[in-house]
Amino acid sequence: MKLVATYKISGSEYKITINGDEPEVYEKLDKALESICQKFGDLVEEFKVSEVSEEIRLGKIIVPIATNGILHASDIKFSNDEKMDFVIKTVFGTIIGLSIGNLIDSVASKENKIIDVKNPCEKRKVDVSHLITEWSD
């Protein structure tokens, strides 16, 4: 089981990925929230947890598309000037190559939301005395 915990502090979002079997993964999640609350306290604005139900490696999808793009780009004439055409194709190929390099190890995931809590670290102080009807006059 893989859980993704997202928490927001001062408008910035942070993510933690927790892997494990079902009873143990929830214990790890509880410890993660406890650590976050100890460190940041009431600054934590929200806490969301999602279960990852499916992951797709983008490299398997992107490589064939980019390869075809590079092959077809070599057929296109960008400029009548041969030197300018060469420069444009080189820049275009470099951009595609850098994009592939960044995306090849990326993963897209489908997540199902489990928990969405606002102010998870806020300590609620309950005044019990007004709940006891015998004490009210």
Side-chain angles (χ1 to χ4, degrees):
M1 175 179 248
K2 186 174 190 177
L3 299 178
V4 177
T6 306
Y7 58 98
K8 188 185 277 189
I9 298 173
S10 303
S12 298
E13 281 195 358
Y14 304 92
K15 288 188 176 191
I16 301 171
T17 303
I18 302 170
N19 294 310
D21 294 327
E22 197 160 322
E24 152 192 345
V25 76
Y26 293 115
E27 292 172 9
K28 289 179 182 179
L29 179 66
D30 191 42
K31 288 178 185 176
L33 178 59
E34 185 178 321
S35 297
I36 292 167
C37 287
Q38 284 178 353
K39 187 169 186 174
F40 300 107
D42 290 341
L43 296 175
V44 182
E45 298 166 17
E46 63 184 24
F47 187 76
K48 299 177 188 176
V49 179
S50 302
E51 179 183 1
V52 176
S53 60
E54 185 179 353
E55 288 187 329
I56 302 167
R57 293 225 161 263
L58 294 180
K60 292 180 181 179
I61 299 169
I62 292 171
V63 172
I65 294 171
T67 305
N68 286 334
I70 293 171
L71 290 174
H72 290 296
S74 63
D75 296 339
I76 299 170
K77 191 170 188 176
F78 292 101
S79 173
N80 290 331
D81 183 8
E82 286 184 36
K83 290 180 182 177
M84 182 61 86
D85 191 54
F86 176 76
V87 169
I88 292 171
K89 287 180 180 179
T90 303
V91 170
F92 185 63
T94 303
I95 290 169
I96 290 175
L98 291 172
S99 298
I100 292 171
N102 286 330
L103 294 174
I104 206 156
D105 292 330
S106 298
V107 175
S109 60
K110 181 180 176 185
E111 299 176 6
N112 300 323
K113 190 186 296 186
I114 298 174
I115 300 169
D116 188 356
V117 180
K118 302 286 183 195
N119 302 320
C121 302
E122 185 178 89
K123 302 219 186 311
R124 302 190 195 285
K125 295 179 182 173
V126 179
D127 183 14
V128 183
S129 63
H130 75 278
L131 299 175
I132 302 173
T133 56
E134 297 168 357
W135 290 359
S136 41
D137 290 22

